[in-house]
Amino acid sequence: MAPTLVASRTALPPEGAVPPKGGLSAELASTLSPALNFAPELLLRAQGVKVAFFDIDGVLTDGGLYMSEHGETLKRFNTLDGHGLKLLQKAGITPAVITGRDSLALRARLKALGVAHAHFGTEDKRPAAEITLKELGLDWSQVAAMGDDWPDLPVMRRAAFSCAPANAHAELKALAHHVTAETGGHGAARAFCDLLLVASGRYAALLQAYAE
């Protein structure tokens, strides 16, 4: 007997069936309920965030440095994380990067994601963050930050909402308001973005727009 394919949410109409007026079935046209839930105290703390600072190594990547025979450093990025940064921009939250490293590949990746505010090759991250805040006309009460190691502490301590990936150093996880179940380079940044989107009240509308 041939296997039967079952749709996870909505079955397609039989071939040749005439769709109802408007082009969508009532089920497809209905609002898609978000599956994500976060603790109310986290959402309350993350409300009002207008800029989110990200480290690169260990946050937007897995922290590994892949060295070629010519001394070039290769990094692995996650497309889920990348889409999360794009969604933040749709919700009016500016993603910004402060990293101790620099490379053409990193700059190309951030440009492709539309990240206009980035500081490269700096371990002194607080002044870099304050430069971006001045450019945006914002203050620390409107900041969220995600980091994984000691150089990220000055920004995370001042941020209204701080987050660390599961692979972060113990001191960062102890400081953070939230630690993701995911590790850096494997969806941690997307989980952070999702939380900020839910707190902003834009998550459900963005989800619905993609589902239609």
Side-chain angles (χ1 to χ4, degrees):
M1 180 180 293
T4 301
L5 299 180
V6 180
S8 60
R9 282 189 178 271
T10 306
L12 296 175
E15 185 175 354
V18 178
K21 292 182 179 180
L24 288 175
S25 68
E27 188 174 359
L28 280 174
S30 64
T31 301
L32 183 63
S33 298
L36 287 181
N37 290 291
F38 296 101
E41 58 269 23
L42 286 178
L43 298 178
L44 183 62
R45 180 173 283 278
Q47 283 183 356
V49 165
K50 295 298 181 183
V51 58
F53 288 105
F54 295 83
D55 181 30
I56 293 293
D57 294 324
V59 173
L60 287 174
T61 76
D62 60 10
L65 298 177
Y66 306 93
M67 305 295 293
S68 73
E69 61 182 0
H70 302 294
E72 298 171 327
T73 302
L74 305 177
K75 297 178 185 290
R76 173 190 176 278
F77 294 93
N78 188 301
T79 57
L80 283 173
D81 295 341
H83 192 62
L85 268 64
K86 290 182 177 181
L87 289 173
L88 286 185
Q89 295 171 76
K90 289 179 180 290
I93 299 173
T94 301
V97 163
I98 307 175
T99 175
R101 297 186 180 274
D102 192 4
S103 70
L104 292 177
L106 171 57
R107 288 177 180 255
R109 176 59 176 162
L110 296 180
K111 182 178 180 180
L113 295 175
V115 177
H117 297 274
H119 301 267
F120 303 96
T122 178
E123 294 289 338
D124 196 3
K125 297 192 175 187
R126 181 185 59 78
E130 290 176 342
I131 290 172
T132 295
L133 291 180
K134 185 176 181 180
E135 291 174 347
L136 296 173
L138 302 175
D139 58 45
W140 287 105
S141 69
Q142 298 165 296
V143 171
M146 189 175 204
D148 72 312
D149 208 348
W150 291 11
D152 303 309
L153 284 169
V155 175
M156 290 181 64
R157 289 186 65 198
R158 289 167 172 80
F161 182 74
S162 61
C163 186
N167 58 289
H169 189 276
E171 301 299 342
L172 276 291
K173 289 194 283 188
L175 171 75
H177 298 115
H178 179 61
V179 178
T180 66
E182 299 81 3
T183 58
H186 295 276
R190 178 57 177 274
F192 176 48
C193 292
D194 286 341
L195 194 158
L196 295 179
L197 292 170
V198 173
S200 74
R202 296 294 307 281
Y203 183 91
L206 288 168
L207 175 66
Q208 185 65 25
Y210 276 88
E212 293 177 351

